[in-house]
Amino acid sequence: LFKEEKSFKLALHTNGFQLGYRKGEIKKYYLTNFYQVEFGNIRHPREFRQSLRSQTLLRSLTNVSGYTYGKQNALMALRAMAGQTYYLGEKAKRRGVAVGVSYQGGVALGMLKPYYLLLKRLDVNNHSAITSQEEKYSEENANFFLDPTKITGHAGFSTGLNEIKFVPGLTGKGSMHFSWGPEDNYVRFLEAGLQLDLFAKKMPIMVIENNQPYFFNLFLSLQFGKRK
């Protein structure tokens, strides 16, 4: 009775989150082919957000914000994938859950945005005064960028958007699929599985940590939509 389904997704993985849209073609009651696009972030496993409130030397500062120590780039990813969901059995008529397996693969576009910190510098016009300047990491300012006593926070998300660098890659997922609800015209399902992103080069997220071209994560996604 149904030929297609459309749904929106919200997903969390071990190093970030994702938002996405899926369009599926129902081939048989147990088989659905689908296309999916999603966008999200990927954190380095060693990222740790610092709270300036806990740093004695900086308690007197005002308008400070937390930051990630040693981070030089924020990584976001846009993915386009095709896949299949194969149901292992039919859902019970009332309050049933259909269990299946899902797999998908495609291309990924990594987006590296410079991570700007607010660093304490002497005012060029008044050498007795200290100002905060937005700076990204470079070899020239490494001593300041990696010195916690010089950091007063991080710049806003929009800082560095015009400097994004793109890196192509591949992506793939495999998961268990759980669909529930008594009304078949509504899409409600949960997926839990493994995700792999492989980019064309090492992604320089951190300054002093080991950076790799691949990211292997566990994920959990929730999707809602309609069938017709």
Side-chain angles (χ1 to χ4, degrees):
L1 296 179
F2 298 101
K3 293 184 178 180
E4 68 175 24
E5 61 182 30
K6 298 177 181 179
S7 62
F8 293 92
K9 68 172 286 187
L10 172 63
L12 298 176
H13 61 81
T14 44
N15 288 299
F17 72 94
Q18 302 160 354
L19 299 173
Y21 172 78
R22 177 182 291 190
K23 182 177 180 180
E25 181 183 359
I26 301 173
K27 307 298 289 185
K28 299 178 182 179
Y29 78 90
Y30 60 84
L31 179 64
T32 299
N33 296 335
F34 63 85
Y35 299 94
Q36 180 169 287
V37 293
E38 62 183 36
F39 176 81
N41 72 325
I42 303 175
R43 297 191 304 267
H44 192 282
R46 299 299 296 273
E47 284 191 39
F48 180 73
R49 189 172 179 82
Q50 306 287 329
S51 175
L52 292 178
R53 293 180 182 178
S54 64
Q55 296 182 23
T56 304
L57 293 176
L58 298 173
R59 284 180 180 175
S60 61
L61 293 173
T62 59
N63 298 322
V64 297
S65 59
Y67 68 97
T68 302
Y69 178 76
K71 183 173 181 175
Q72 61 175 316
N73 287 293
L75 175 59
M76 298 164 286
L78 178 65
R79 304 177 183 88
M81 294 169 284
Q84 288 186 325
T85 298
Y86 184 87
Y87 290 97
L88 303 178
E90 291 190 73
K91 182 174 62 177
K93 294 297 183 183
R94 290 182 179 272
R95 299 181 181 178
V97 176
V99 179
V101 293
S102 182
Y103 55 90
Q104 54 192 292
V107 295
L109 183 63
M111 292 170 275
L112 288 166
K113 183 181 80 70
Y115 186 75
Y116 277 80
L117 291 178
L118 299 174
L119 302 180
K120 291 191 294 184
R121 296 283 195 176
L122 289 176
D123 192 322
V124 294
N125 298 316
N126 182 2
H127 292 291
S128 63
I130 295 177
T131 62
S132 290
Q133 298 182 12
E134 296 180 347
E135 298 185 37
K136 63 181 179 180
Y137 173 79
S138 66
E139 293 184 0
E140 290 73 21
N141 73 349
N143 290 336
F144 276 81
F145 197 89
L146 298 176
D147 184 350
T149 66
K150 305 296 184 183
I151 301 171
T152 64
H154 73 91
F157 177 79
S158 60
T159 305
L161 284 176
N162 60 334
E163 302 177 64
I164 288 179
K165 295 181 179 180
F166 300 95
V167 182
L170 300 174
T171 185
K173 295 182 182 184
S175 62
M176 292 298 298
H177 179 103
F178 305 92
S179 177
W180 76 92
E183 299 171 329
D184 287 337
N185 57 315
Y186 289 101
V187 176
R188 303 182 185 92
F189 65 82
L190 182 75
E191 287 185 339
L194 305 176
Q195 168 183 312
L196 174 65
D197 294 299
L198 177 62
F199 295 99
K201 68 173 187 177
K202 291 184 178 181
M203 305 302 271
I205 299 176
M206 305 296 286
V207 177
I208 59 177
E209 300 291 348
N210 186 31
N211 294 299
Q212 299 291 346
Y214 57 85
F215 299 87
F216 187 72
N217 289 297
L218 302 174
F219 76 90
L220 181 69
S221 72
L222 185 63
Q223 303 204 25
F224 292 95
K226 275 193 167 186
R227 296 187 181 93
K228 64 178 184 179

